[in-house]
Each structure stands twice: as structure tokens, then as C-alpha cells.
Amino acid sequence: MLKKVISVCLMIFVGLFTVQTLNNNKVLANSEVKPNEYHRKYISAMDTDFSVEIDVNDPKANNYLEQLKRSEEIITNISILTDNFEGYDVLGEPIKNVYYINNNINKKIEIDKVLYDILEFSLEVQVLTEGYFNISIGKIIDKWKDLIDPLANNNYTEEQFNKIVEEIKNIPIIDNGIVLTKENNKYYVLIKEGVKIDLGGIAKGYALDEVENYFKEEGLVSYKIKGSASSLKYGYNLNNDKGYTKVGVSNPFGGIYGYINVANKTVTTSGDTEQNKEFFGRLYHHIISPITRMPEIDNRIAIIVTDSAALGDALSTAIFSMDKKKLEAWGKQNKLTEYIIIKSDKKIINNLKENEFVNSDGSTNIIKASIFDWLIISGVIIVFGVGIYYISKNNKSKLSNKEDSEE
């Protein structure tokens, strides 16, 4: 009997040791991979910090100094054009940027093609999102930014605060208030009374896309282009056989929710965790719904994985303000599948593909472990079961013999 018990225990131990060894080998293989080395450029623009990184092992990285310089020029140019502050060129002439447009109501203004393209794309996304992304509500956004400004002395009574909110809700949103035209290879914009353009929800992403387009023209394949932590674009990781770079997803309620495997994709995030302020038991933040003219509080974070950073920026802004019912209907209609929503009630909607997401503990989910590992685990369970069966059978046999002898 003792020999059988020892044999079963040894078999179980060997099985478990085999599984653990396989898992340890996987960890060891990953830990042996040396981190990539990059040529880097840090750029301050659009009130945020950009970084552009080119893998030193990229075959086309021999011209990296010029490539990083051109990247900075692209980002800086888009920042100047989309800026809501007054600017002047080297000749002292006013720059025809967003500030200039907003201060010349009902005037047809010739603008740079880059700015025209950003405005045109923004209006297309407004239609796509059924108005949940809208660049014309700058006056409403400004009011909310003033309210949640951490440096402002907004010591309102609840009655005063509610009155201000009602005033904001009554600010009109102008339909078709931005008019774009082309004439003889020149580009024009006219905005109507009541419109104030705000490109804060798309400009960073558009800049990332333009830098990537330039990199592709240069033949680069391995790079990282970041607009703070909310707009992240990754090429192909030469140090990973699948090209993945692992991107962490913070949980607004604490810790890391998990990781997204990204290759030739963009991860964009909209959330209420940074620019916010609490009034009378409710959190107010900077992402304003064009539908309600309010900061909505159903969600804490919206993350989208897309090819285009500009589209991702705009869509994450839009779906952040959608409630569950609207998101499900709109997402199904527009085939939106690659996103994560962390809701205010701590529930999580994760629609990423199986190979894209890894839990914070390193696993994917309960059914995503490798088949080989599961076969081994199943074998251990079977061996364990057989062992228990034989022990039980032996005990019954002994009990039966004992009863026979007593008779």
C-alpha cells in the first residue's frame, strides 16, 4: 500500500514539475531578450510631450538624425496650425491657424492644406460618430475648462454652480457651422457665428499619423511615436518574433489592468483621471459630450486600438461619452471591435482580440493558455485521479478482507 501511495505522489510531482518547468522556460526565454535600443527625440508641442524613437537595428535607420529632425518639423507645424493662441510668422504676419479662424467669424480665410485636411477629416468623423465628436463646440469646452481649472478659486454654492451648468447647456451648437471650400488649388474655411474650433481631440493623433507616413516613405519599420501617454503608435518590434510591443493599461481604480500586444497599430486613450474636479459629490472632467454639453460619468477610461492615431483619438473621445446602450448599437453598426471600456461601476468591457490582450498576471484568460500546457495539466489530473482510484480500491479490498476474517 505504502509503495503505491509513494508512486502516485511521485507521478503527480513529476507532472507538476514538468508544467512548472515549461512555464519557467517561457519566462526565461522572454527575460533573455535584450531591450531594443532607440535613437530618440523629445518634442514639446500642443501642451504635451512627444517622443519619436527609431530602432537602431532598423535597416533604414542610418539617416536617423535627419529623420528625427523631420519628425520634429512635422509635429511642430501641426501644433502651430491647430493652436488656439495667436502666432506670427518670420515676417511678422499672423499665422492662419485655429486662433486666427476663431477670431474672424463669417470670413472666408485661405489656410494651409495640412490644416484644411485636419478640419475635413474632423468633419467626416463627426458624421461617423453621429455628433459625439464635434470640433465646433470650443465655447462649451472653454466654459468647462474654466470650471475644473485646479488653480481657479471656484468656491460656488450649489445653487450658483447649477446655474452656471444650465447656462452652459443653453449654449447653441451650430449645425454645419464650418464651411470648407477648394478653389484653384487653394484651401479655404469659413466659420459661422457661435462656432469655436477646438482640435484638442484629434491634433495629436493626426501628427503621429503624419510622422508615421514619413517614416514609411523612408522605409523604416521599427519605431515608436508617442503623444504623451494617450496617443501611442508602434511599428514592428524587431526584438519580438511577432513584432509585438507590450503596452500597459492602467486601471483608474488602482494597479495595472493588463497589457495590449501592439504591432503596426495605435493605442489611444480618453479618460477622466487627469483633468477633473469634484463639485458637490460629482466628478467633472474635460471630455465634454456634444450631445448633452456635459462631462458624462458612465465611463472612466476608453481605449481604442486602430491603424490611424487621428481616428483613434477622435473615436476614443466619442465613445467615452456614450452610454452602454448607445455604444453597443453604434459599435455594432460601425464594426468597432478593438476597444476597452473601464466603467465608473468598475465593470470592464474588453473587445480586443485574443492575441492582443494579456492580463496583468501574464495570462490571457481562462481559455487562452496554450493547448500543449493544457494537455500536460490534463495528464496530471488524470494521473492523480487514477492514483486516488487505486488507493480507494485497495482500501476497500482491505476492508472486505477484514470483514471476511471477522466472520
Side-chain angles (χ1 to χ4, degrees), residues 40-46 50-54 64-80 207 210-211 214-215 225:
R40 291 182 176 87
K41 181 76 174 179
Y42 297 101
I43 304 154
S44 180
M46 305 181 199
F50 287 79
S51 68
V52 181
E53 306 177 28
I54 299 172
Y64 73 91
L65 288 175
E66 178 60 31
Q67 290 160 346
L68 292 176
K69 179 183 176 183
R70 179 61 187 140
S71 301
E72 181 177 23
E73 291 172 353
I74 291 170
I75 293 171
T76 302
N77 182 53
I78 292 175
S79 176
I80 291 170
E210 290 297 291
V211 172
Y214 165 66
F215 279 178
I225 314 165

CSV table of all heavy atoms in Angstrom, one decimal, residues 40-46 50-54 64-80 207 210-211 214-215 225:
chain,number,residue,atom,x,y,z
A,40,ARG,N,16.4,58.6,-30.1
A,40,ARG,CA,15.2,59.3,-29.6
A,40,ARG,C,15.3,60.8,-29.8
A,40,ARG,O,16.3,61.4,-29.8
A,40,ARG,CB,15.1,59.1,-28.1
A,40,ARG,CG,14.7,57.7,-27.7
A,40,ARG,CD,14.5,57.5,-26.2
A,40,ARG,NE,14.1,56.2,-25.9
A,40,ARG,CZ,14.9,55.1,-25.6
A,40,ARG,NH1,16.2,55.3,-25.7
A,40,ARG,NH2,14.4,54.0,-25.3
A,41,LYS,N,14.1,61.4,-29.9
A,41,LYS,CA,13.9,62.8,-30.0
A,41,LYS,C,12.7,63.2,-29.2
A,41,LYS,O,11.6,62.6,-29.4
A,41,LYS,CB,13.7,63.3,-31.5
A,41,LYS,CG,13.5,64.8,-31.6
A,41,LYS,CD,14.9,65.5,-31.5
A,41,LYS,CE,14.7,67.0,-31.8
A,41,LYS,NZ,16.0,67.7,-31.7
A,42,TYR,N,12.9,64.1,-28.2
A,42,TYR,CA,11.7,64.6,-27.4
A,42,TYR,C,11.3,66.0,-27.9
A,42,TYR,O,12.1,66.9,-28.1
A,42,TYR,CB,12.1,64.7,-25.9
A,42,TYR,CG,12.5,63.3,-25.4
A,42,TYR,CD1,13.8,62.9,-25.2
A,42,TYR,CD2,11.5,62.4,-25.0
A,42,TYR,CE1,14.2,61.7,-24.7
A,42,TYR,CE2,11.8,61.1,-24.5
A,42,TYR,CZ,13.2,60.8,-24.4
A,42,TYR,OH,13.5,59.5,-23.9
A,43,ILE,N,10.0,66.2,-28.0
A,43,ILE,CA,9.4,67.4,-28.6
A,43,ILE,C,8.3,67.9,-27.7
A,43,ILE,O,7.4,67.1,-27.3
A,43,ILE,CB,8.9,67.1,-30.0
A,43,ILE,CG1,10.0,66.5,-30.9
A,43,ILE,CG2,8.3,68.4,-30.6
A,43,ILE,CD1,9.5,65.6,-32.0
A,44,SER,N,8.4,69.2,-27.4
A,44,SER,CA,7.3,69.8,-26.6
A,44,SER,C,6.4,70.5,-27.6
A,44,SER,O,6.8,71.5,-28.3
A,44,SER,CB,7.9,70.8,-25.6
A,44,SER,OG,6.8,71.4,-24.8
A,45,ALA,N,5.1,70.1,-27.7
A,45,ALA,CA,4.2,70.7,-28.6
A,45,ALA,C,2.7,70.4,-28.1
A,45,ALA,O,2.5,69.4,-27.4
A,45,ALA,CB,4.4,70.2,-30.0
A,46,MET,N,1.8,71.3,-28.5
A,46,MET,CA,0.4,71.0,-28.1
A,46,MET,C,0.2,70.8,-26.6
A,46,MET,O,-0.7,70.1,-26.2
A,46,MET,CB,-0.2,69.8,-28.9
A,46,MET,CG,0.0,69.9,-30.4
A,46,MET,SD,-0.7,68.4,-31.2
A,46,MET,CE,0.1,68.5,-32.8
A,50,PHE,N,5.9,65.0,-26.7
A,50,PHE,CA,6.0,64.0,-27.7
A,50,PHE,C,7.4,63.3,-27.6
A,50,PHE,O,8.4,63.9,-27.2
A,50,PHE,CB,5.9,64.6,-29.1
A,50,PHE,CG,4.5,65.0,-29.5
A,50,PHE,CD1,4.0,66.2,-29.0
A,50,PHE,CD2,3.7,64.2,-30.3
A,50,PHE,CE1,2.7,66.6,-29.4
A,50,PHE,CE2,2.4,64.6,-30.7
A,50,PHE,CZ,1.9,65.8,-30.2
A,51,SER,N,7.4,62.0,-28.0
A,51,SER,CA,8.7,61.4,-28.2
A,51,SER,C,8.7,60.6,-29.5
A,51,SER,O,7.7,59.9,-29.8
A,51,SER,CB,9.1,60.5,-27.0
A,51,SER,OG,8.2,59.4,-27.0
A,52,VAL,N,9.8,60.6,-30.3
A,52,VAL,CA,9.9,59.9,-31.5
A,52,VAL,C,11.1,59.0,-31.4
A,52,VAL,O,12.2,59.5,-31.0
A,52,VAL,CB,10.0,60.8,-32.7
A,52,VAL,CG1,10.1,60.0,-34.0
A,52,VAL,CG2,8.8,61.8,-32.8
A,53,GLU,N,11.0,57.7,-31.6
A,53,GLU,CA,12.1,56.7,-31.4
A,53,GLU,C,12.2,55.8,-32.6
A,53,GLU,O,11.2,55.3,-33.1
A,53,GLU,CB,11.8,55.9,-30.2
A,53,GLU,CG,11.5,56.7,-28.9
A,53,GLU,CD,11.2,55.9,-27.7
A,53,GLU,OE1,11.6,54.7,-27.6
A,53,GLU,OE2,10.4,56.4,-26.8
A,54,ILE,N,13.4,55.7,-33.1
A,54,ILE,CA,13.8,54.8,-34.2
A,54,ILE,C,14.7,53.7,-33.8
A,54,ILE,O,15.7,54.0,-33.2
A,54,ILE,CB,14.4,55.6,-35.4
A,54,ILE,CG1,13.5,56.7,-35.8
A,54,ILE,CG2,14.8,54.7,-36.5
A,54,ILE,CD1,14.1,57.7,-36.8
A,64,TYR,N,19.1,58.5,-39.3
A,64,TYR,CA,18.2,58.8,-38.2
A,64,TYR,C,18.2,60.3,-37.8
A,64,TYR,O,17.2,60.8,-37.4
A,64,TYR,CB,18.5,57.9,-37.0
A,64,TYR,CG,19.7,58.2,-36.2
A,64,TYR,CD1,19.7,59.1,-35.2
A,64,TYR,CD2,21.0,57.7,-36.6
A,64,TYR,CE1,20.8,59.4,-34.4
A,64,TYR,CE2,22.1,58.0,-35.9
A,64,TYR,CZ,22.0,58.9,-34.8
A,64,TYR,OH,23.2,59.2,-34.1
A,65,LEU,N,19.3,60.9,-37.9
A,65,LEU,CA,19.4,62.3,-37.5
A,65,LEU,C,18.4,63.2,-38.3
A,65,LEU,O,17.7,64.0,-37.8
A,65,LEU,CB,20.8,62.9,-37.6
A,65,LEU,CG,21.8,62.4,-36.5
A,65,LEU,CD1,23.2,62.9,-36.8
A,65,LEU,CD2,21.4,62.8,-35.1
A,66,GLU,N,18.5,63.0,-39.6
A,66,GLU,CA,17.6,63.8,-40.5
A,66,GLU,C,16.1,63.3,-40.3
A,66,GLU,O,15.2,64.1,-40.3
A,66,GLU,CB,18.0,63.5,-41.9
A,66,GLU,CG,17.1,64.2,-43.0
A,66,GLU,CD,17.0,65.7,-42.8
A,66,GLU,OE1,18.0,66.3,-42.4
A,66,GLU,OE2,16.0,66.3,-43.1
A,67,GLN,N,15.9,62.0,-40.0
A,67,GLN,CA,14.6,61.5,-39.8
A,67,GLN,C,13.9,62.1,-38.6
A,67,GLN,O,12.7,62.4,-38.5
A,67,GLN,CB,14.6,60.0,-39.8
A,67,GLN,CG,14.9,59.4,-41.2
A,67,GLN,CD,15.4,57.9,-41.1
A,67,GLN,OE1,15.8,57.5,-40.0
A,67,GLN,NE2,15.5,57.3,-42.2
A,68,LEU,N,14.7,62.2,-37.5
A,68,LEU,CA,14.2,62.7,-36.2
A,68,LEU,C,14.0,64.2,-36.4
A,68,LEU,O,13.0,64.8,-35.9
A,68,LEU,CB,15.2,62.5,-35.1
A,68,LEU,CG,15.3,61.0,-34.7
A,68,LEU,CD1,16.4,60.9,-33.6
A,68,LEU,CD2,14.0,60.5,-34.2
A,69,LYS,N,14.8,64.9,-37.1
A,69,LYS,CA,14.7,66.3,-37.3
A,69,LYS,C,13.4,66.6,-38.1
A,69,LYS,O,12.6,67.5,-37.8
A,69,LYS,CB,15.9,66.9,-38.1
A,69,LYS,CG,15.8,68.4,-38.4
A,69,LYS,CD,17.0,68.8,-39.2
A,69,LYS,CE,16.8,70.3,-39.6
A,69,LYS,NZ,17.9,70.8,-40.5
A,70,ARG,N,13.1,65.8,-39.2
A,70,ARG,CA,11.9,66.0,-40.0
A,70,ARG,C,10.7,65.7,-39.1
A,70,ARG,O,9.6,66.3,-39.3
A,70,ARG,CB,12.0,65.1,-41.2
A,70,ARG,CG,10.8,65.2,-42.1
A,70,ARG,CD,10.6,66.6,-42.7
A,70,ARG,NE,9.3,66.7,-43.4
A,70,ARG,CZ,8.5,67.8,-43.3
A,70,ARG,NH1,8.9,68.8,-42.6
A,70,ARG,NH2,7.4,67.8,-44.0
A,71,SER,N,10.8,64.7,-38.3
A,71,SER,CA,9.6,64.4,-37.4
A,71,SER,C,9.3,65.6,-36.5
A,71,SER,O,8.1,65.9,-36.3
A,71,SER,CB,10.0,63.2,-36.5
A,71,SER,OG,10.3,62.0,-37.3
A,72,GLU,N,10.3,66.2,-36.0
A,72,GLU,CA,10.0,67.4,-35.1
A,72,GLU,C,9.4,68.5,-35.9
A,72,GLU,O,8.4,69.2,-35.5
A,72,GLU,CB,11.3,67.9,-34.5
A,72,GLU,CG,11.1,69.1,-33.6
A,72,GLU,CD,12.4,69.5,-33.0
A,72,GLU,OE1,13.5,69.2,-33.5
A,72,GLU,OE2,12.4,70.2,-31.9
A,73,GLU,N,9.8,68.7,-37.2
A,73,GLU,CA,9.2,69.7,-38.0
A,73,GLU,C,7.7,69.4,-38.3
A,73,GLU,O,6.9,70.3,-38.3
A,73,GLU,CB,10.0,69.8,-39.3
A,73,GLU,CG,11.4,70.4,-39.2
A,73,GLU,CD,12.2,70.2,-40.5
A,73,GLU,OE1,11.7,69.6,-41.4
A,73,GLU,OE2,13.4,70.8,-40.5
A,74,ILE,N,7.4,68.2,-38.5
A,74,ILE,CA,6.0,67.8,-38.8
A,74,ILE,C,5.1,68.1,-37.6
A,74,ILE,O,4.1,68.7,-37.7
A,74,ILE,CB,5.9,66.3,-39.2
A,74,ILE,CG1,6.6,66.1,-40.6
A,74,ILE,CG2,4.5,65.8,-39.2
A,74,ILE,CD1,6.8,64.6,-40.9
A,75,ILE,N,5.6,67.6,-36.4
A,75,ILE,CA,4.8,67.8,-35.2
A,75,ILE,C,4.7,69.3,-34.9
A,75,ILE,O,3.5,69.8,-34.5
A,75,ILE,CB,5.4,67.0,-34.0
A,75,ILE,CG1,5.3,65.5,-34.3
A,75,ILE,CG2,4.8,67.4,-32.7
A,75,ILE,CD1,6.1,64.7,-33.3
A,76,THR,N,5.7,70.0,-35.0
A,76,THR,CA,5.7,71.5,-34.7
A,76,THR,C,4.8,72.2,-35.6
A,76,THR,O,4.0,73.1,-35.2
A,76,THR,CB,7.1,72.0,-34.7
A,76,THR,OG1,8.0,71.4,-33.8
A,76,THR,CG2,7.1,73.5,-34.4
A,77,ASN,N,4.8,71.9,-36.9
A,77,ASN,CA,4.0,72.6,-37.9
A,77,ASN,C,2.5,72.3,-37.6
A,77,ASN,O,1.7,73.3,-37.6
A,77,ASN,CB,4.3,72.1,-39.3
A,77,ASN,CG,3.5,72.8,-40.3
A,77,ASN,OD1,3.4,74.0,-40.4
A,77,ASN,ND2,2.8,72.0,-41.2
A,78,ILE,N,2.1,71.1,-37.3
A,78,ILE,CA,0.7,70.8,-36.9
A,78,ILE,C,0.3,71.5,-35.6
A,78,ILE,O,-0.8,72.0,-35.5
A,78,ILE,CB,0.5,69.3,-36.9
A,78,ILE,CG1,0.7,68.7,-38.3
A,78,ILE,CG2,-0.8,68.9,-36.3
A,78,ILE,CD1,0.6,67.2,-38.3
A,79,SER,N,1.2,71.5,-34.7
A,79,SER,CA,1.0,72.2,-33.4
A,79,SER,C,0.7,73.7,-33.7
A,79,SER,O,-0.3,74.2,-33.1
A,79,SER,CB,2.2,72.1,-32.5
A,79,SER,OG,1.9,72.8,-31.3
A,80,ILE,N,1.5,74.4,-34.5
A,80,ILE,CA,1.2,75.8,-34.8
A,80,ILE,C,-0.1,76.0,-35.5
A,80,ILE,O,-0.8,76.9,-35.2
A,80,ILE,CB,2.4,76.3,-35.6
A,80,ILE,CG1,3.7,76.3,-34.8
A,80,ILE,CG2,2.1,77.7,-36.2
A,80,ILE,CD1,4.9,76.6,-35.6
A,207,ALA,N,-0.8,64.3,-35.9
A,207,ALA,CA,0.6,64.5,-36.0
A,207,ALA,C,1.3,63.1,-36.0
A,207,ALA,O,2.3,62.9,-36.8
A,207,ALA,CB,1.1,65.3,-34.8
A,210,GLU,N,1.1,61.5,-39.4
A,210,GLU,CA,1.9,62.2,-40.4
A,210,GLU,C,3.4,61.8,-40.3
A,210,GLU,O,4.1,61.6,-41.3
A,210,GLU,CB,1.8,63.7,-40.3
A,210,GLU,CG,0.4,64.2,-40.8
A,210,GLU,CD,0.2,63.9,-42.3
A,210,GLU,OE1,0.8,64.5,-43.1
A,210,GLU,OE2,-0.7,63.1,-42.6
A,211,VAL,N,3.8,61.7,-39.0
A,211,VAL,CA,5.2,61.2,-38.8
A,211,VAL,C,5.4,59.8,-39.3
A,211,VAL,O,6.3,59.4,-40.0
A,211,VAL,CB,5.6,61.3,-37.3
A,211,VAL,CG1,6.9,60.6,-37.1
A,211,VAL,CG2,5.6,62.8,-36.9
A,214,TYR,N,5.6,59.6,-43.0
A,214,TYR,CA,7.0,60.0,-43.4
A,214,TYR,C,8.0,58.8,-43.2
A,214,TYR,O,8.8,58.5,-44.1
A,214,TYR,CB,7.5,61.2,-42.7
A,214,TYR,CG,8.9,61.5,-42.7
A,214,TYR,CD1,9.6,61.8,-43.9
A,214,TYR,CD2,9.7,61.4,-41.6
A,214,TYR,CE1,10.9,62.0,-44.0
A,214,TYR,CE2,11.1,61.6,-41.6
A,214,TYR,CZ,11.7,61.9,-42.8
A,214,TYR,OH,13.1,62.1,-42.9
A,215,PHE,N,7.9,58.2,-42.1
A,215,PHE,CA,8.7,57.0,-41.8
A,215,PHE,C,8.6,55.9,-42.8
A,215,PHE,O,9.6,55.3,-43.2
A,215,PHE,CB,8.4,56.5,-40.4
A,215,PHE,CG,9.1,57.2,-39.3
A,215,PHE,CD1,8.9,56.9,-37.9
A,215,PHE,CD2,9.9,58.3,-39.5
A,215,PHE,CE1,9.4,57.6,-36.9
A,215,PHE,CE2,10.5,59.0,-38.5
A,215,PHE,CZ,10.3,58.6,-37.2
A,225,ILE,N,6.1,56.3,-31.8
A,225,ILE,CA,5.8,57.7,-31.8
A,225,ILE,C,4.7,57.9,-30.8
A,225,ILE,O,3.7,57.3,-30.8
A,225,ILE,CB,5.3,58.1,-33.2
A,225,ILE,CG1,6.2,57.5,-34.3
A,225,ILE,CG2,5.2,59.6,-33.4
A,225,ILE,CD1,5.5,57.5,-35.7
